[in-house]
Amino acid sequence: MKFGVDVPTCLAGMAYPVPFATADEVIKIAVEAEELGYDEVSGNDHLSTQRFVRDAWPDPPDYFEPLMMLATIAAKTSVVRLGTGILVLPMRDPVLLAKQVATLDHVSGGRVTLAVAAGGYRDEFESVTPDLAHASRVDLMTEGIEALRTLFEQPHSTYEGKYRRFVDVESYPKPLQSPLPIFSGGNAEGALRRAGERCEGWLPAKIGPAEIAAGREKVAAYARAAGRDPVGVTIGLQTVVCIADTAQDARERVERSTFNLFRKSLKETMMKGVGLDKYLADNLIGTPDDVCAKVAAFRDAGLDGFFATLFVANTVDEMLEQMRLFARHVMPAFQTAASPL
């Protein structure tokens, strides 16, 4: 079982208060994650402040571009993998993105995992790409992944889609990893289909073991239908961690944090129909024993790893303490040197 940390590149105002972490503190969190034995650090992606964040906070949050932040983290770490958790692909030009990701793979020594999704906030997408406001983000996801594969793998790349087009692009260097792992992020059926048909992994968010088991079967069916071996598709999860002495203490910490605002902001997308009780049950929230039991249930459901994990906190020090508690009480029971990516 693998474990990762979602460093707060673009989480202020969402999962954390405004202000939250400086650029130096984001790097500090990543370096300590490697020292604690986490397998991956990830950065999430926003190019503009979402409407719900603007309405909730008097001051704008600092959003640090994740690929640039990961390049800086790469220079200060040696073994921890560098992921995007997640990168909003419809807002990104694929030719530039392919160049950025290949460069990051080289400067990090082949440590990059690119997790991509459509994004949870349509208002941000329309602000950043008004010329594509009419576009289907599902189609943009498919075209984006296809375009990246072409740019990563072909000597000369031409792509003709409905929204993405380029002609005779020679993009070098190629990533060190072949293939560079792309994970399909999201909980919707389209995310599962993309994972099975086109990607190296599926990365849903904040769902329980039963949903993981059912999703794993669907991803495998899509993979087999596409002539792929499902064994090659990693099943990951973005989850929330809050460890306390009692389950009630953990619940109260969540309720006092910004995570409730974050959860409610997604009530019409990935958190639709998910009340607080189910949210607390599905995520790694409770005592150390509670959390270990939940990790075991996810493992038995076929989960390969917890990537881009969010730690409930109102300050950077609280986040680091939650990371340390998880590394001390949970990770040793589930980590093995031979576990897969």
Side-chain angles (χ1 to χ4, degrees):
M1 181 72 74
K2 295 288 188 179
F3 297 96
V5 174
D6 203 359
V7 298
T9 51
C10 305
L11 289 168
M14 301 173 62
Y16 301 118
V18 177
F20 187 66
T22 65
D24 285 345
E25 287 171 327
V26 174
I27 296 163
K28 175 185 175 181
I29 291 165
V31 170
E32 181 154 345
E34 180 175 77
E35 293 170 351
L36 289 169
Y38 286 91
D39 301 286
E40 181 179 274
V41 294
S42 298
N44 72 316
D45 182 33
H46 291 290
L47 299 181
S48 177
T49 309
Q50 311 92 316
R51 177 55 56 190
F52 90 93
V53 174
R54 298 185 195 192
D55 291 343
W57 303 93
D59 297 315
D62 289 332
Y63 285 167
F64 301 108
E65 202 287 319
L67 298 174
M68 291 193 70
M69 186 62 77
L70 290 171
T72 305
I73 291 168
K76 296 178 180 294
T77 56
S78 58
V79 295
V80 71
R81 286 194 65 82
L82 309 169
T84 53
I86 52 75
L87 189 137
V88 183
L89 188 54
M91 294 195 300
R92 299 278 181 158
D93 172 76
V95 175
L96 175 58
L97 178 60
K99 180 66 70 178
Q100 292 170 314
V101 172
T103 300
L104 180 59
D105 207 41
H106 277 263
V107 301
S108 67
R111 290 190 273 149
V112 176
T113 298
L114 181 64
V116 296
Y121 303 98
R122 180 89 194 187
D123 63 290
E124 179 187 9
F125 168 72
E126 292 183 356
S127 292
V128 172
T129 58
D131 290 343
L132 292 173
H134 65 287
S136 161
R137 287 184 293 170
V138 172
D139 291 343
L140 281 166
M141 283 296 301
T142 298
E143 291 189 12
I145 293 171
E146 290 177 345
L148 287 172
R149 290 291 190 209
T150 299
L151 291 157
F152 286 157
E153 297 170 6
Q154 298 301 317
H156 299 90
S157 302
T158 294
Y159 185 81
E160 181 71 28
K162 183 177 181 181
Y163 304 111
R164 303 301 191 192
R165 302 179 183 86
F166 47 87
V167 178
D168 193 29
V169 174
E170 185 174 77
S171 184
Y172 281 82
K174 303 301 183 186
L176 285 179
Q177 300 174 91
S178 183
L180 185 138
I182 299 176
F183 281 31
S184 173
N187 301 357
E189 192 72 21
L192 280 74
R193 178 186 290 274
R194 287 188 290 272
E197 293 179 348
R198 305 174 188 277
C199 296
E200 283 69 48
W202 174 46
L203 188 63
K206 307 173 189 69
I207 60 177
E211 291 91 341
I212 286 290
R216 183 172 177 268
E217 291 303 315
K218 287 186 176 182
V219 169
Y222 283 127
R224 285 191 290 266
R228 304 178 71 215
D229 185 351
V231 173
V233 183
T234 297
I235 309 298
L237 178 66
Q238 291 182 290
T239 194
V240 174
V241 168
C242 185
I243 296 177
D245 291 336
T246 70
Q248 183 61 30
D249 286 345
R251 181 187 184 102
E252 290 174 0
R253 284 179 182 234
V254 172
E255 291 178 322
R256 290 196 303 267
S257 74
T258 310
F259 274 78
N260 235 2
L261 173 67
F262 190 20
R263 177 180 65 84
K264 291 175 182 177
S265 77
L266 296 167
K267 66 182 180 180
E268 297 302 322
T269 53
M270 67 175 61
M271 293 290 101
K272 192 169 186 177
V274 178
L276 181 58
D277 287 343
K278 179 169 173 54
Y279 185 84
L280 294 168
D282 285 348
N283 287 277
L284 304 184
I285 297 168
T287 68
D289 287 344
D290 293 336
V291 172
C292 284
K294 290 183 179 186
V295 172
F298 278 110
R299 177 197 59 197
D300 295 344
L303 187 71
D304 295 310
F306 294 91
F307 306 124
T309 300
L310 293 157
F311 293 85
V312 172
N314 287 321
T315 67
V316 169
D317 286 344
E318 288 179 3
M319 180 182 177
L320 289 168
E321 181 58 24
Q322 283 288 308
M323 289 168 53
R324 293 163 190 155
L325 287 171
F326 191 80
R328 183 185 313 136
H329 294 293
V330 181
M331 285 163 48
F334 299 97
Q335 283 181 313
T336 60
S339 56
L341 172 68

